[in-house]
Amino acid sequence: MTPDQVQLVQQSFAKVAPISDQAAVIFYDRLFETAPSVRAMFPSDMTEQRKKLMAMLAVVVNGLAKLEAVLPAASALAKRHVGYGAKPEHYPVVGSALLWTLEKGLGDSWTPDVAEAWTAAYGTLSGFMISEAYGRPEAAE
């Protein structure tokens, strides 16, 4: 990721943060719509899960400029996800739901440059997480 892409991700996430609860609902609704089989991996009450998602996104987004500081937490998260039944092929589906959610949440602020920056950020992080969890890197968005 370039420094400009890091800045675009951080600036656009700052616009989504005020509607984080709503964004998390939209994300999970989209994820379960496009990949209904993953619904079983989540609790029936998604309140805490939605909070965890947005908190983790905030940590990652704020740490993009110093990615090495975020990678240990991302590694641990990836390994926990294996225990929940996550597979490498789930990462592109999650990425697609995330980008779709951001596009909906940002409206006119979702530009081609912002989309490219988020795609790069997700690709970098998900590739790392897949490698950590499964021992092999794979393209994930």
Side-chain angles (χ1 to χ4, degrees), residues 9 16 44 60 65 78-79 88-89 98 111 118 121 124-126 134 138:
V9 168
V16 174
S44 54
V60 170
K79 291 170 185 170
E89 57 267 23
L98 176 64
T111 66
W118 273 98
T124 298
L125 195 64
S126 63
Y134 307 99
E138 293 188 17

Side-chain angles (χ1 to χ4, degrees), residues 17-116:
I19 59 160
S20 63
D21 291 341
Q22 188 179 359
V25 168
I26 293 168
F27 168 79
Y28 282 112
D29 284 352
R30 179 65 175 182
L31 179 62
F32 300 151
E33 175 186 324
T34 59
S37 64
V38 304
R39 181 61 182 98
M41 294 181 208
F42 294 89
S44 54
D45 181 354
M46 292 291 293
T47 306
E48 283 305 309
Q49 182 64 36
R50 288 190 295 261
K51 289 177 186 173
K52 288 178 184 178
L53 168 73
M54 296 312 291
M56 180 55 77
L57 274 174
V59 167
V60 170
V61 166
N62 291 328
L64 281 177
K66 295 185 180 177
L67 196 55
E68 64 280 356
V70 177
L71 294 181
S75 175
L77 180 64
K79 291 170 185 170
R80 279 196 311 274
H81 279 131
V82 173
Y84 304 141
K87 295 180 169 49
E89 57 267 23
H90 292 134
Y91 282 80
V93 177
V94 169
S96 178
L98 176 64
L99 296 176
W100 187 87
T101 300
L102 290 163
E103 181 179 2
K104 298 299 170 207
L106 290 168
D108 292 341
S109 296
W110 183 255
T111 66
D113 287 343
V114 171
E116 186 178 324

